[in-house]
Amino acid sequence: MTHWKASDIPSQHGRTAVVTGTGGLGFQDALALARAGANVIIAGRNPSRGAAAVNQIREEVPGADVVFGLLDLASLNSVRSFVQGLRSSRSSLDLLINNAAVMTPPQRQSTVDGFELQFGTNYLGHFALTAQLLPLLRKGNQARVVTLSSIAARNGVIDFDDLQAQRVYKPMRAYSQSKLACLMFALELQRRSDAAGWGIQSIAAHPGISRTDLLPNGAGAWSVAGMLRRFMWFLFQPAEQGALPTLFGATSPQVRGGPTMARTGSVRSGATPLPPRFPRWHWMRRLQRDFGQPPRS
């Protein structure tokens, strides 16, 4: 569907949504959903930024039902605590947007649990979050899970021989791997939902190259990527435009489970098969096998 706009979002009254990330695309997702009447939970690791996001949405949307929830995707204990809090206060969940990400820190970093930071945050943290929220999602009203991938996934390879980039760390290679894993996870989640009759639609989206703080926060403000973002800002689409593919996947009645890809200025829905070099049935089992076993230093 081309030239789809945020104003095309149907009413979200009565629906509850969790959006990971307090700024950039996540903020725009939360803002648009709040405008459409959804009950929105903005999940992030920084309480002050979360409070600022909530306050700004309430200023722009008087009466908005929006709150902040503490969630650090780089900590499995934090994921568990967030889910426990949600499950103690709510009986169902209608929408989960797996948006938050880390991109290309110049030096290899690790999550609290010992995983490479990009793989651990972008993929494994969202994997754990989605898995633990499945009971609520299965009780949701036409529940959807939208997971953000990236155009970088095209160059991604799941390197099982060095999954945590312990031997060789290349920032963009690690990022591409994490975003390919997100794409494959979204497709596999849809397959499993269909097979088990969960009634959950799983959609993968990519936002294009957007004007957010993802690059300077990861690579650094004075890195080549950071300076490109700062001084060549006009090359990047506005964050509210970058959020459209996610919002389309999250709300449009036309969407069916599978990938929702985007180009600047337009949104389209369609199916993209898994790359032939990745076995469709076994990749997730292998990740699951290794998931609870962070690398030893």
Side-chain angles (χ1 to χ4, degrees), residues 52-267:
V54 168
N55 290 336
Q56 185 173 345
I57 290 174
R58 288 176 177 169
E59 288 179 4
E60 297 192 31
V61 187
D65 189 354
V66 56
V67 296
F68 170 74
L70 184 63
L71 171 65
D72 183 357
L73 289 163
S75 166
L76 295 179
N77 280 335
S78 178
V79 173
R80 190 175 301 111
S81 295
F82 174 80
V83 172
Q84 288 174 346
L86 204 61
R87 293 178 70 173
S88 68
S89 62
R90 302 174 190 275
S91 59
S92 65
L93 179 65
D94 306 301
L95 174 61
L96 170 62
I97 297 181
N98 292 324
N99 163 80
V102 178
M103 184 176 184
T104 60
Q107 304 298 322
R108 184 187 183 279
Q109 300 178 39
S110 297
T111 68
V112 172
D113 305 285
F115 299 105
E116 189 275 318
L117 184 63
Q118 296 182 85
F119 193 73
T121 301
N122 302 352
Y123 169 66
L124 290 178
H126 283 123
F127 178 104
L129 178 65
T130 305
Q132 293 177 49
L133 287 176
L134 274 179
L136 294 185
L137 287 163
R138 291 177 64 182
K139 295 177 182 177
N141 179 18
Q142 298 180 337
R144 297 187 184 189
V145 177
V146 181
T147 301
L148 267 69
S149 182
S150 167
I151 196 170
R154 292 181 177 179
N155 297 319
V157 175
I158 306 297
D159 185 358
F160 286 109
D161 294 326
D162 192 18
L163 193 60
Q164 305 302 331
Q166 290 179 290
R167 292 199 288 268
V168 177
Y169 175 72
K170 294 183 178 180
M172 195 62 198
R173 179 179 177 181
Y175 179 74
S176 298
Q177 174 181 253
S178 75
K179 285 301 183 177
L180 176 60
C182 288
L183 173 58
M184 298 171 77
F185 167 66
L187 296 175
E188 180 69 7
L189 179 60
Q190 182 62 52
R191 187 193 68 79
R192 293 189 178 214
S193 177
D194 290 341
W198 292 342
I200 298 170
Q201 290 192 65
S202 174
I203 299 106
H206 90 70
I209 303 175
S210 301
R211 200 177 302 156
T212 71
D213 291 331
L214 183 63
L215 276 171
N217 284 348
W222 297 106
S223 66
V224 172
M227 289 190 289
L228 181 67
R229 163 66 181 84
R230 176 177 295 188
F231 298 113
M232 305 289 283
W233 56 267
F234 50 85
L235 297 177
F236 299 74
Q237 65 182 339
E240 56 267 29
Q241 185 174 340
L244 290 179
T246 300
L247 292 167
F248 180 69
T251 66
S252 174
Q254 300 182 34
V255 169
R256 297 294 179 266
T260 297
M261 310 305 284
R263 294 187 295 259
T264 302
S266 66
V267 177

